[in-house]
Amino acid sequence: MRDHPDHLPTYEDMLAAHERIKPYIHRTPVLTSSYLNDLTGAELFFKCENFQKAGAFKVRGASNAVFGLPEDMAAKGVATHSSGNHALSLSYAAGRRGIPCHVVMPRTAPQAKKDAVRGYGGIITECEPSTTSREAVFAEIHAKTGADFVHPYNDPRVIAGQGTCSKELMEQVEHLDAVIAPIGGGGMISGTCLTLSTLAPQVQIYAAEPEQADDAYRSFKAGHIIADDAPDTVADGLKVPLKENTWHFVSHHVTDILTASEDEIIEAMKLTWKRMKIVIEASCAVPLATILKNPELFRGKRVGVIITGGNVDLDSLPWMQ
Amino acid sequence: MRDHPDHLPTYEDMLAAHERIKPYIHRTPVLTSSYLNDLTGAELFFKCENFQKAGAFKVRGASNAVFGLPEDMAAKGVATHSSGNHALSLSYAAGRRGIPCHVVMPRTAPQAKKDAVRGYGGIITECEPSTTSREAVFAEIHAKTGADFVHPYNDPRVIAGQGTCSKELMEQVEHLDAVIAPIGGGGMISGTCLTLSTLAPQVQIYAAEPEQADDAYRSFKAGHIIADDAPDTVADGLKVPLKENTWHFVSHHVTDILTASEDEIIEAMKLTWKRMKIVIEASCAVPLATILKNPELFRGKRVGVIITGGNVDLDSLPWMQ
């Protein structure tokens, strides 16, 4: 298996990524809700990556990896393992470039995400819903195809791509005091750290995580990576552990990691649908859940909230189960 | 009961309405979907009134009526009967002006709408789900309070207010060939006719209606108003019949009225949620359902689609029943 590029991405990598991916992504809108502002006592600015191509921010990092490949490597295609949105996004980007995309996906991933991956032309191989199984099945596929491995979050090209989201947010909203995003493997948070540590180092960066998959929280408190094998949470995008590159950004630049229970996440998800009229995944309701739980941290502040995706199985909503 | 003002609203009334209501409404965004463009062969521009204050376009007409009242009349408050969003919107506008709002509402209206009316301070009296019962109960409330009657769609102040939506749409999107909106009582369609017949008379105006509540369609074909007493459709905002003022606009300016079945409406609603990541009511899925059903009418055209509201009972979604 080809190693990940072994450097950390730089601010210039992020700027180059933004130029490279612009033809393939949306500059997503920032929405506000006077109801949620009143409820939290903060001014919240929701960066709506649920409106992004392929329905999630992950298309930024995936497009940066795909369109940065030299021709000879691109011909063999790309491959990844992913709990959903990275798979979708890499399939989308590979489809735009006209190269194959191999995806190893847990058999328990939402049917909507599997259908969407296939809709974009991705080739799925299923694995068990654990990190161990996922990595074993992937090694086999990777060896067989020779495709370029685009890790869903630890790849520097992916982190640089995700950082373009905060760059846009800073262009769209002035004088933010803080930005909050969900944390799973840490790709979005790392990109946020990469961008803000140069562009706006005074802005606080919070990561939000499900209590039932709180490995990043425990890592942050312990000072080293703690990985769980198969955590279970409604926020299905946030089950994966930190890796060395994302740990670098999390440990150096994150202000704090906050957690929320399953009920709090589902409540915040439903509240967002109800009041903002937008379809968001459970994963991206975790930031609002933690803001509602820790009002003293955010009251009176201007807070960017990254809505990471909107790929929901509409036949299976968590508040109806 | 005080009669409705007996004039038809003018283009100048619409312009005055826009100035009057601007502090109380959002200039809602226009969204597009490359997926839905590919699917329909048209270029669709969705005017997202689901993001409007109180979650629906009706706040435009309601605010125009409420803020146009002289002080002495305003003191007695306003009153209406409504299947939902007009009730919400009038309650919101009355709340902003600090005057009472009396609402007669069918007992079968979605719980989410009843809760929201009360949340905005509206005072609800329930009636049976028929036009006859609704008008009888309303007469009683109206006599008791002396409040100003703001009819949900036949009131010229309301029609002028709804017309501001198409004015914004024409400012936001160039060279539209057609605009399509759902039709119930005809307030939005009448406002659209009022605005476009002066501002852009070359633009075709389509109305979209559920087959199971197709009184406007039958009226249009017959050349006179046909009213049903208690039609049943998932598009709960579209059960009411045309009245003389809305009939005037429909009969003079509408290009055609198209209908869709319950299944087609639900399918279009779910498709919009899934691909556009926005929460819309069944009522505003009727236009997309009719576009999908009549592709030859819209192929190659630039079409404005008015998404009228997003007040959905999230515990009771039509595709889960």
Side-chain angles (χ1 to χ4, degrees):
Chain A
M1 192 184 306
R2 176 174 161 266
D3 285 328
H4 313 140
D6 60 358
H7 66 283
L8 288 168
T10 64
Y11 187 75
E12 287 66 35
D13 291 336
M14 184 279 294
L15 293 176
H18 211 197
E19 286 310 306
R20 181 178 291 128
I21 69 181
K22 265 182 185 166
Y24 313 106
I25 66 163
H26 290 305
R27 185 181 172 91
T28 54
V30 174
L31 298 185
T32 60
S33 162
S34 53
Y35 177 87
L36 292 178
N37 286 349
D38 289 347
L39 190 66
T40 59
E43 274 187 279
L44 306 181
F45 299 89
F46 295 88
K47 174 69 171 164
C48 286
E49 292 284 296
N50 54 329
F51 294 153
Q52 188 50 269
K53 284 285 180 189
F57 77 88
K58 295 215 171 192
V59 83
R60 296 175 181 269
S63 298
N64 189 41
V66 163
F67 285 95
L69 281 179
E71 280 299 333
D72 57 332
M73 289 175 68
K76 292 182 184 169
V78 288
T80 197
H81 48 74
S82 160
S83 57
N85 281 335
H86 177 64
L88 232 67
S89 300
L90 197 66
S91 300
Y92 162 82
R96 289 295 297 266
R97 187 155 178 186
I99 64 176
C101 178
H102 303 276
V103 177
V104 173
M105 219 167 161
R107 62 172 171 73
T108 52
Q111 189 60 41
K113 290 192 179 173
K114 291 182 193 170
D115 291 347
V117 165
R118 292 196 179 101
Y120 286 124
I123 305 150
I124 298 177
T125 306
E126 294 194 351
C127 66
E128 291 307 302
S130 73
T131 303
T132 311
S133 163
R134 183 187 299 211
E135 295 188 344
V137 173
F138 179 77
E140 195 178 320
I141 297 293
H142 186 253
K144 202 163 68 184
T145 60
D148 187 66
F149 176 32
V150 184
H151 190 281
Y153 51 87
N154 201 48
D155 188 310
R157 303 168 296 180
V158 169
I159 293 172
Q162 318 308 31
T164 61
C165 180
S166 291
K167 174 170 174 278
E168 290 177 15
L169 177 60
M170 298 306 290
E171 290 163 359
Q172 290 166 305
V173 185
E174 291 184 329
H175 306 306
L176 284 178
D177 298 301
V179 170
I180 184 166
I183 189 162
M188 169 51 78
I189 281 289
S190 293
T192 305
C193 291
L194 170 63
T195 297
L196 296 185
S197 61
T198 293
L199 188 62
Q202 76 285 2
V203 175
Q204 293 182 309
I205 300 171
Y206 287 93
E209 193 174 37
E211 276 173 17
Q212 290 191 193
D214 69 345
D215 54 283
Y217 171 82
R218 285 180 287 126
S219 303
F220 191 72
K221 299 303 173 191
H224 58 84
I225 297 179
I226 297 172
D228 297 331
D229 195 42
D232 185 33
T233 170
V234 66
D236 56 52
L238 307 181
K239 294 177 179 178
V240 289
L242 296 170
K243 294 274 185 185
E244 64 278 16
N245 288 341
T246 54
W247 170 245
H248 168 84
F249 286 103
V250 168
S251 58
H252 283 75
H253 298 294
V254 163
T255 303
D256 205 354
I257 299 183
L258 308 171
T259 64
S261 71
E262 297 295 290
D263 283 352
E264 290 162 346
I265 294 167
I266 294 169
E267 183 64 26
M269 178 184 179
K270 193 176 176 187
L271 187 65
T272 305
W273 287 42
K274 182 175 176 181
R275 302 306 306 216
M276 296 190 65
K277 319 297 182 191
I278 57 175
V279 171
I280 69 164
E281 298 176 23
S283 297
C284 36
V286 186
L288 179 61
T290 63
I291 291 170
L292 289 166
K293 197 172 182 174
N294 301 278
E296 71 288 354
L297 287 179
F298 299 99
R299 197 173 290 129
K301 292 188 180 168
R302 292 166 64 84
V303 183
V305 182
I306 299 178
I307 297 289
T308 47
N311 294 318
V312 175
D313 189 341
L314 293 172
D315 293 315
S316 170
L317 297 172
W319 56 82
M320 290 192 171
Q321 286 163 358
Chain B
M1 192 186 306
R2 175 172 161 269
D3 285 330
H4 313 140
D6 60 358
H7 65 283
L8 289 168
T10 64
Y11 187 75
E12 288 65 35
D13 291 334
M14 184 279 295
L15 293 176
H18 212 197
E19 286 308 307
R20 181 178 292 128
I21 69 180
K22 266 182 184 165
Y24 313 106
I25 66 164
H26 290 306
R27 183 180 174 89
T28 53
V30 174
L31 298 185
T32 61
S33 162
S34 54
Y35 177 87
L36 292 177
N37 286 349
D38 289 346
L39 190 67
T40 59
E43 275 187 280
L44 305 180
F45 300 89
F46 295 88
K47 174 69 170 164
C48 286
E49 291 286 295
N50 54 329
F51 295 153
Q52 189 50 270
K53 285 284 181 191
F57 77 89
K58 296 214 170 192
V59 82
R60 296 175 181 269
S63 298
N64 190 41
V66 163
F67 286 95
L69 281 178
E71 280 298 333
D72 57 333
M73 290 174 68
K76 291 182 184 168
V78 287
T80 198
H81 48 75
S82 160
S83 57
N85 281 335
H86 176 65
L88 232 68
S89 299
L90 197 66
S91 300
Y92 162 82
R96 291 293 298 263
R97 187 158 178 184
I99 63 177
C101 178
H102 304 277
V103 176
V104 173
M105 220 167 161
R107 62 172 171 74
T108 53
Q111 189 61 40
K113 289 191 179 172
K114 291 182 193 169
D115 291 347
V117 165
R118 292 196 179 101
Y120 286 123
I123 305 151
I124 297 177
T125 307
E126 294 194 351
C127 66
E128 292 305 304
S130 72
T131 304
T132 313
S133 163
R134 183 188 298 212
E135 294 187 345
V137 174
F138 180 77
E140 196 178 319
I141 296 294
H142 186 252
K144 203 163 68 185
T145 60
D148 186 66
F149 176 33
V150 183
H151 190 280
Y153 51 89
N154 201 47
D155 189 311
R157 304 168 296 181
V158 169
I159 293 172
Q162 318 307 32
T164 63
C165 180
S166 291
K167 174 169 175 279
E168 290 178 13
L169 176 61
M170 299 305 289
E171 291 162 359
Q172 290 167 304
V173 184
E174 290 186 328
H175 307 304
L176 284 178
D177 298 301
V179 170
I180 184 165
I183 189 162
M188 169 50 78
I189 282 288
S190 294
T192 305
C193 292
L194 170 63
T195 297
L196 296 186
S197 62
T198 294
L199 188 63
Q202 76 285 2
V203 175
Q204 293 183 306
I205 300 170
Y206 288 93
E209 193 175 37
E211 276 174 17
Q212 288 190 195
D214 69 345
D215 53 284
Y217 171 83
R218 285 180 287 127
S219 302
F220 191 70
K221 300 302 174 191
H224 58 86
I225 297 178
I226 297 171
D228 298 331
D229 195 43
D232 185 32
T233 170
V234 66
D236 58 67
L238 307 180
K239 294 178 179 177
V240 290
L242 296 169
K243 293 274 185 185
E244 63 279 15
N245 287 341
T246 54
W247 171 245
H248 168 85
F249 286 103
V250 169
S251 58
H252 283 74
H253 297 293
V254 163
T255 303
D256 206 354
I257 300 183
L258 308 171
T259 64
S261 70
E262 297 295 289
D263 283 351
E264 290 162 346
I265 295 166
I266 293 168
E267 183 64 26
M269 179 184 179
K270 193 176 176 188
L271 187 65
T272 305
W273 287 43
K274 182 174 176 181
R275 303 304 308 214
M276 296 190 66
K277 319 296 182 190
I278 57 177
V279 172
I280 69 165
E281 297 176 23
S283 297
C284 36
V286 187
L288 179 60
T290 63
I291 291 171
L292 289 168
K293 197 173 181 174
N294 301 277
E296 71 289 354
L297 288 178
F298 299 99
R299 196 173 291 129
K301 292 187 180 168
R302 291 167 64 84
V303 183
V305 182
I306 298 178
I307 297 288
T308 46
N311 294 318
V312 174
D313 189 340
L314 293 173
D315 293 315
S316 170
L317 297 173
W319 57 81
M320 290 191 171
Q321 285 164 0

